[in-house]
Amino acid sequence: MAEKSGMITIAGRPNVGKSTLINRLVGEKIAIVSNKPQTTRNRICGIVNRGDCQFVFVDTPGFHRPRTKLGDYMVNVTRQSVSQVDAVLLMVEPIAHVGAQEAELLGQLKQGGEPVILVINKIDTVEKDTLLAVIAAYAQEMEFAAVVPISAKSGDGVEDLLAECSRFAQPGPHLFPDDVTTDQPERQVMAEIVREKLLWCLEREVPHGTAVEVNRFSERDNGVIDLDVTIYCEKASHKGIIIGKGGGMLKKISTMARVDCEKFMGTKVYLQTWVKVKENWRDSNFLIRNFGYRDE
């Protein structure tokens, strides 16, 4: 059989389940997930092989109103990612109303001209009759190439979604080796895993003001990974919260992160973490780029 490949962007508002879907499609955790908005900051590719077809799914930051230069960067990443691809998945919640963020995204998608599949996520949370009203509301806004209800959490409908995506795959060689699951360097995945645990363990604005930098990523002769990580926050008071009483919070975050790092790497990981303050780094172009958030 001739090989085919398809580059497909997943777009939608924050917390709609884009990262959960990409992890489900790939079959392992490559994108971090939390119950807080704007968890994803970078463009992340997940590679899925089905027979002769390779899908490259692009996970994007949730489309939102930016309040910092980091927010501007995240919105720009989303805008760039929905153009020049084979198809776009517009992921929405099962609500029979087109929100302002979805309407703005739809406007961009209409201009781009790429085929758009409407993906209604979280169908396990509503009655089936509700879906008809959701489909009707979105059908008034745009003609979609397909409409696929799914639950990214349980996997319901995900294979149907892949079948729809295969219609837009183009003849040609695969873009990545068949044993690769993501375009992210291993050290970047490790940094994101640590940041995920910050999002899960910390409240309010503290985790959104953090960045994670891997200072050392080395493998011993016996396969053990040595990982030294610095967590940056914006205020001295936030540093105290991250470290916690007697270092308890930092230990909790590090332990949770180490477990997931070991799952991803398939080997033992020796993780050391430090916390430093970089005031207002989210409004510094230099620091944003220094922490790995680059447009190119």
Side-chain angles (χ1 to χ4, degrees):
M1 275 190 182
E3 289 187 340
K4 295 188 296 182
S5 62
M7 181 80 74
I8 299 167
T9 289
I10 308 173
R13 70 162 60 220
N15 235 30
V16 75
K18 298 182 298 297
S19 297
T20 302
L21 174 59
I22 208 164
N23 290 338
R24 168 71 62 179
L25 287 164
V26 170
E28 68 177 69
K29 185 177 208 163
I30 63 163
I32 66 171
V33 177
S34 85
N35 56 358
K36 295 180 175 66
Q38 289 132 55
T39 297
T40 301
R41 289 175 176 170
N42 261 329
R43 168 183 161 133
I44 298 168
C45 289
I47 296 99
V48 180
N49 294 294
R50 286 289 190 278
D52 63 329
C53 189
Q54 181 177 86
F55 301 98
V56 180
F57 289 96
V58 183
D59 185 19
T60 60
F63 196 80
H64 65 285
R65 298 278 179 207
R67 293 185 293 122
T68 63
K69 287 183 179 178
L70 176 64
D72 290 335
Y73 162 84
M74 290 160 67
V75 170
N76 286 336
V77 168
T78 300
R79 287 196 175 114
Q80 292 166 13
S81 297
V82 297
S83 63
Q84 297 181 329
V85 292
D86 296 306
V88 177
L89 308 183
L90 176 61
M91 200 166 182
V92 302
E93 296 193 353
I95 300 169
H97 168 71
V98 179
Q101 288 166 306
E102 284 79 9
E104 194 166 343
L105 254 177
L106 281 165
Q108 288 184 31
L109 295 172
K110 288 174 189 174
Q111 290 178 6
E114 286 80 7
V116 180
I117 298 173
L118 179 66
V119 181
I120 305 171
N121 191 28
K122 306 180 183 180
I123 60 170
D124 49 325
T125 64
V126 296
E127 298 295 327
K128 288 189 176 179
D129 291 347
T130 305
L131 296 177
L132 296 175
V134 178
I135 293 168
Y138 278 90
Q140 292 178 358
E141 300 292 326
M142 184 177 183
E143 185 174 342
F144 293 96
V147 177
V148 185
I150 69 161
S151 168
K153 188 175 180 181
S154 72
D156 286 353
V158 170
E159 288 300 321
D160 294 335
L161 179 58
L162 274 175
E164 290 293 344
C165 290
S166 66
R167 292 166 46 205
F168 305 104
Q170 303 297 316
H174 290 177
L175 302 173
F176 292 89
D178 288 351
D179 60 346
V180 169
T181 57
T182 180
D183 66 334
Q184 298 295 292
E186 289 173 339
R187 63 189 298 139
Q188 179 65 25
V189 175
M190 300 300 100
E192 284 291 273
I193 286 172
V194 174
R195 193 167 66 83
E196 179 189 62
K197 305 316 172 190
L198 290 164
L199 284 160
W200 276 109
C201 293
L202 302 172
E203 294 298 324
R204 298 190 175 89
E205 183 62 13
V206 177
H208 290 299
T210 59
V212 177
E213 185 177 37
V214 173
N215 308 112
R216 181 167 70 129
F217 182 100
S218 60
E219 186 174 354
R220 303 180 193 175
D221 292 339
N222 61 1
V224 172
I225 302 292
D226 286 302
L227 193 63
D228 291 358
V229 168
T230 301
I231 299 165
Y232 293 95
C233 57
E234 293 187 307
K235 298 177 182 178
S237 58
H238 290 178
K239 179 179 178 178
I241 293 169
I242 294 168
I243 293 173
K245 187 176 180 181
M249 179 57 74
L250 185 59
K251 183 177 180 182
K252 178 182 176 181
I253 291 164
S254 301
T255 300
M256 291 171 67
R258 179 183 53 76
V259 170
D260 272 10
C261 287
E262 289 181 341
K263 282 181 187 174
F264 184 84
M265 296 302 302
T267 187
K268 187 172 178 60
V269 173
Y270 182 64
L271 172 64
Q272 295 190 88
T273 50
W274 291 266
V275 184
K276 294 183 180 180
V277 178
K278 289 275 187 188
E279 291 188 5
N280 301 318
W281 70 265
R282 284 182 291 176
D283 274 317
S284 164
N285 286 328
F286 171 77
L287 289 174
I288 288 170
R289 290 175 64 84
N290 193 50
F291 290 142
Y293 304 117
R294 301 168 186 264
D295 289 320
E296 62 274 9

